[in-house]
Amino acid sequence: MNIPADLRYTESHEWVRLEGDLIVVGITAHAQDAMGDITYVDLPDPGSDLSAKDSLGGVESVKTFSDVYAPVDSSVDSINEDLEDAPELVNDDPYGAGWLLKLRPENLADVESLMDAQAYEEFLHKDS
Amino acid sequence: MSDETRALPLATRHADLGARFAPFAGFSMPMRYSSIKEEHLAVRRALGLFDVSHMGEIEVVGADAVSLVDSVVTNDCSALDIGQAMYTVMCHPDGNVVDDLIVYKLAEDRVFICVNASNRAKDLAHILEHSRGDATITDRGDDFVQLAIQGPLAAQVLDTLTDHDLSSITFFRCAEITLAGAPVLAARTGYTGEDGFELYIPVEHGEQVFDAVSAAGAPHGLLPIGLGARDTLRLEARLHLYGNELSDSINPIEAGLSWVVKLDKSTPFVGQDALRSIKSAGPGRRLRGFHCEGRAIPRPGCSIYAGDEVVGVITSGSLSYMLDTPVALGYVDIEHVKSESLEIDVRGRRVTGRLTTKPFYKTT
């Protein structure tokens, strides 16, 4: 399973990429693969405030709805509007065109506390 | 694989095809091979091959086979021709549903019943306890590989594997035939809303038939289909799923299955008095379909609202791939079944659902 080395990860299978003073958030290849065909992505309005581990919305597949959680305390900067018409991007390109949203962390250093790729890979092995 | 689940007889075939497995009714079942959408569309446009060997089979043999079955099911087995099948339910004395079944009359003294995997032990115990008549009841659930071949091209593909004239097996008819060199019970039944067949194959011939059907179907677009697409297909065709639309606390009248309840058939049956009362008083709720606005999918347990009042509950929901909108089934209080639309609470948000009594998709 693809786990890019330059991203940070959560135990709830979100990935995080630093982009200036924002973070880009998506779900991992492992998560989208486990869910199957994604039919709908439910995302919060820009400007919403989120606490770390709050559900910020979720990803709907035919079989189930899975919550997506805020990786750190943050506010919503923008969402990936392409997903409204093409939710399958999350399946096809989870680390690229299938990104979910951009968040403005309260404290950018919080991102450092998330798992790196190696830790996430070990977590997946433990989890399965 | 965990110790609690059993492997299907053809498990290695499914693993070779890349199946994702998940436990269902005590079996490790293929959930999907490619994607649910691809599999769903293959069945609607061409054909698909399902291994549904988890389903249970019960055989009733003896002079009173037909009346014994009639003493526990609501539909009328005595009215069947030899080689004819019927959909039915089996009820508790209170009229609630033990299981839904397909009953095949193979001879005057031989009846074959296909039951839900999750209910196999319960059904057998119920039949042994409640049935009356001189016939032997045998659990044959481990003796068959059951394959379903469903889709507009199913008959054309199977036709290349048998000398039997499949056009003589019309809808809800069956015949014991030779197919791909194996003795099979071939029934023109299914759970997808498409034309197709369900084959009951002695376990030792399972691989041979699976391989032959796969090879014959491949040039026509056949895909192996998992339980995921089986569920989206049956929901689109508005077919009931036991555990969702049917249960030990749901009766067939409210489920819209009055057509399989033959209150005046010659053999008295379990639940008859209760069902007669329910039918004459009218049920307190009825099953309804919902065409939903937006993209959020109502899930089982979601409440149905008229204004601030809860007037029902969702039993199944999915994306309809043919309509490209979410669809759902649920029970609605009788005062509200004539509503044009009601609201469904999906994770705290209201979704408008337009009521329907029809299948969401019907093959043309």
Side-chain angles (χ1 to χ4, degrees):
Chain A
M1 202 61 72
N2 183 16
I3 304 175
D6 57 334
L7 305 181
R8 293 282 178 162
Y9 299 89
T10 68
E11 294 191 356
S12 43
H13 308 286
E14 291 86 16
W15 58 258
V16 172
R17 186 172 62 230
L18 282 168
E19 197 178 271
D21 53 358
L22 300 180
I23 57 172
V24 186
V25 178
I27 65 169
T28 66
H30 169 84
Q32 67 78 22
D33 186 66
M35 292 190 68
D37 296 335
I38 288 165
T39 61
Y40 167 65
V41 182
D42 186 13
L43 295 172
D45 295 326
S48 313
D49 288 323
L50 302 167
S51 297
K53 299 190 177 165
D54 275 359
S55 171
L56 59 78
V59 178
E60 185 119 60
S61 72
V62 176
K63 295 313 291 178
T64 188
F65 180 86
S66 296
D67 285 293
V68 174
Y69 299 94
V72 294
D73 294 345
S74 53
S75 63
V76 179
D77 177 77
S78 57
I79 63 173
N80 183 353
E81 292 182 355
D82 294 343
L83 299 181
E84 185 172 347
D85 291 326
E88 65 275 12
L89 289 172
V90 180
N91 291 119
D92 297 343
D93 191 8
Y95 299 112
W99 65 278
L100 300 185
L101 72 178
K102 295 183 184 181
L103 302 176
R104 185 176 300 280
E106 271 181 30
N107 182 356
L108 211 52
D110 289 350
V111 175
E112 299 294 318
S113 64
L114 302 175
M115 287 183 280
D116 63 15
Q118 191 187 341
Y120 181 62
E121 187 166 8
E122 284 163 15
F123 172 75
L124 282 184
H125 282 298
K126 241 186 305 168
D127 205 30
S128 62
Chain B
M1 183 179 318
S2 78
D3 294 337
E4 298 103 61
T5 57
R6 297 172 56 192
L8 292 178
L10 304 185
T12 55
R13 285 287 188 282
H14 304 306
D16 290 347
L17 288 164
R20 306 302 182 81
F21 292 90
F24 179 80
F27 287 85
S28 174
M29 294 296 296
M31 286 292 137
R32 60 185 159 103
Y33 302 81
S34 49
S35 84
I36 292 177
K37 182 178 186 177
E38 264 183 69
E39 293 172 24
H40 186 110
L41 295 177
V43 172
R44 290 276 180 252
R45 291 170 183 164
L47 75 166
L49 171 58
F50 306 67
D51 184 346
V52 285
S53 302
H54 63 308
M55 300 292 282
E57 294 88 8
I58 294 170
E59 195 167 47
V60 182
V61 178
D64 297 339
V66 169
S67 63
L68 184 150
V69 170
D70 268 335
S71 71
V72 287
V73 305
T74 60
N75 206 341
D76 188 359
C77 187
S78 74
L80 295 180
D81 299 331
I82 295 194
Q84 193 176 8
M86 67 179 188
Y87 177 68
T88 185
V89 294
M90 183 159 74
C91 289
H92 293 286
D94 66 5
N96 289 332
V97 178
V98 176
D99 200 4
D100 62 332
L101 327 160
I102 296 183
V103 169
Y104 303 88
K105 185 168 165 184
L106 301 182
E108 288 302 338
D109 62 354
R110 190 153 73 97
V111 178
F112 189 81
I113 307 172
C114 178
V115 309
N116 281 300
S118 52
N119 289 334
R120 183 171 151 191
K122 179 178 78 166
D123 289 354
L124 200 64
H126 181 88
I127 296 170
L128 288 169
E129 180 184 345
H130 290 284
S131 65
R132 289 182 300 273
D134 178 19
T136 307
I137 300 156
T138 311
D139 179 0
R140 301 216 46 204
D142 293 336
D143 298 348
F144 300 96
V145 162
Q146 186 184 341
L147 301 179
I149 297 91
Q150 300 280 303
L153 304 183
Q156 179 190 329
V157 166
L158 290 185
D159 214 35
T160 64
L161 300 174
T162 181
D163 294 333
H164 196 94
D165 175 16
L166 291 180
S167 68
S168 69
I169 307 176
T170 53
F171 189 55
F172 267 76
R173 299 272 167 167
C174 63
E176 293 174 280
I177 69 172
T178 301
L179 187 138
V184 310
L185 172 63
R188 200 152 199 158
T189 52
Y191 195 46
T192 61
E194 296 294 331
D195 184 26
F197 289 81
E198 292 176 306
L199 307 178
Y200 298 86
I201 307 152
V203 167
E204 63 272 24
H205 294 288
E207 288 189 352
Q208 149 196 356
V209 175
F210 187 90
D211 293 345
V213 172
S214 300
H220 301 277
L222 176 142
L223 288 183
I225 314 292
L227 283 191
R230 183 169 158 87
D231 192 45
T232 57
L233 288 158
R234 72 92 196 167
L235 180 58
E236 226 170 40
R238 203 184 196 277
L239 297 169
H240 297 65
L241 173 62
Y242 196 91
N244 293 48
E245 285 71 43
L246 298 172
S247 78
D248 293 308
S249 55
I250 295 172
N251 70 63
I253 311 297
E254 62 197 7
L257 295 177
S258 293
W259 64 279
V260 302
V261 179
K262 304 288 164 61
L263 289 170
D264 299 320
K265 71 180 187 179
S266 54
T267 306
F269 61 94
V270 182
Q272 188 169 16
D273 294 341
L275 291 169
R276 200 184 295 282
S277 304
I278 294 163
K279 198 162 185 181
S280 68
R285 57 181 182 173
R286 281 189 186 279
L287 189 67
R288 284 292 179 266
F290 294 90
H291 291 277
C292 304
E293 275 181 4
R295 302 302 291 174
I297 298 173
R299 303 290 178 178
C302 287
S303 293
I304 302 167
Y305 282 86
D308 292 335
E309 188 192 353
V310 175
V311 299
V313 62
I314 295 297
T315 52
S316 290
S318 177
L319 183 72
S320 162
Y321 285 118
M322 300 308 281
L323 303 178
D324 196 33
T325 61
V327 298
L329 292 172
Y331 281 95
V332 175
D333 292 348
I334 202 74
E335 298 80 20
H336 295 276
V337 295
K338 302 281 187 204
S339 307
E340 197 170 308
S341 67
L342 292 168
E343 291 191 316
I344 303 163
D345 182 327
V346 183
R347 299 184 301 276
R349 274 185 239 167
R350 295 289 182 91
V351 168
T352 301
R354 190 162 45 80
L355 277 68
T356 178
T357 56
K358 298 191 175 67
F360 301 108
Y361 175 78
K362 215 169 158 64
T363 184
T364 46

